[in-house]
Amino acid sequence: MKINTDHVDTILTQWAKERPDLDSSPMAVTGRLAKLNHIVSQAQSQVFSEFSLNMGEFDVLATLLRSGSPYSLTPNQLLQTLMLSSGAMTNRVDRLEAKSLVYRQADPNDRRGVLVTLTETGETLINQVIKKHVDRGHRLLEPLTVQEQEALADLLKKLLIEYER
């Protein structure tokens, strides 16, 4: 027999009993989002750690790969994409450079500027990581049909658009 309740149901039942005057229905969504965020973050971190990366390092490498060949961006472009402080970005790039996954080079379009570029090793690594990352995402979503995944993505997008303004 399949159980059709989760931990959030228990919490909602407790609130209904203790505070029947309170409409705790938002917790049905926010509580589940919080729990799922934790589960997804752990699954992603596990993938990244298999490749001796953390989430932040993955973000930089993936952003460079997504930018297209020659897989180079200025630190400012990385900052805008990843929404980090310049200090945090410098630390990430320093760590990736120490691992020989990126290198800094002079920006030919700006004498004062620098480009952060994937090395061949970095490109090979991020292509392996992204494959495993996407595969893990598919496994995490297996309980949902393709149509349910699309509907959930649309609903989450609607919320995100509202709060990204």
Side-chain angles (χ1 to χ4, degrees), residues 68-125:
S69 186
Y71 311 120
S72 295
L73 293 172
T74 65
N76 193 42
Q77 289 170 318
L78 282 168
L79 281 172
Q80 290 172 355
T81 302
L82 298 172
M83 298 180 289
L84 295 172
S85 69
S86 59
M89 179 57 63
T90 299
N91 288 337
R92 286 184 187 182
V93 172
D94 287 348
R95 286 193 311 266
L96 292 168
E97 196 169 35
K99 294 178 180 182
S100 300
L101 300 175
V102 301
Y103 65 95
R104 292 176 171 103
Q105 62 182 356
D107 185 344
N109 301 315
D110 179 358
R111 287 186 307 177
R112 296 170 293 142
V114 171
L115 291 173
V116 178
T117 305
L118 280 177
T119 63
E120 195 172 311
T121 301
E123 184 182 345
T124 299
L125 179 72

Side-chain angles (χ1 to χ4, degrees), residues 22-75:
L22 188 67
D23 175 11
S24 60
S25 63
M27 292 180 193
V29 174
T30 59
R32 288 183 176 103
L33 283 174
K35 289 202 55 96
L36 286 167
N37 178 57
H38 180 73
I39 290 165
V40 169
S41 292
Q42 281 188 319
Q44 289 174 335
S45 292
Q46 185 180 41
V47 168
F48 305 145
S49 69
E50 289 175 30
F51 295 92
S52 299
L53 296 173
N54 64 35
M55 174 75 83
E57 293 166 336
F58 167 81
D59 282 344
V60 172
L61 295 175
T63 299
L64 289 169
L65 185 65
R66 284 194 322 264
S67 74
S69 186
Y71 311 120
S72 295
L73 293 172
T74 65

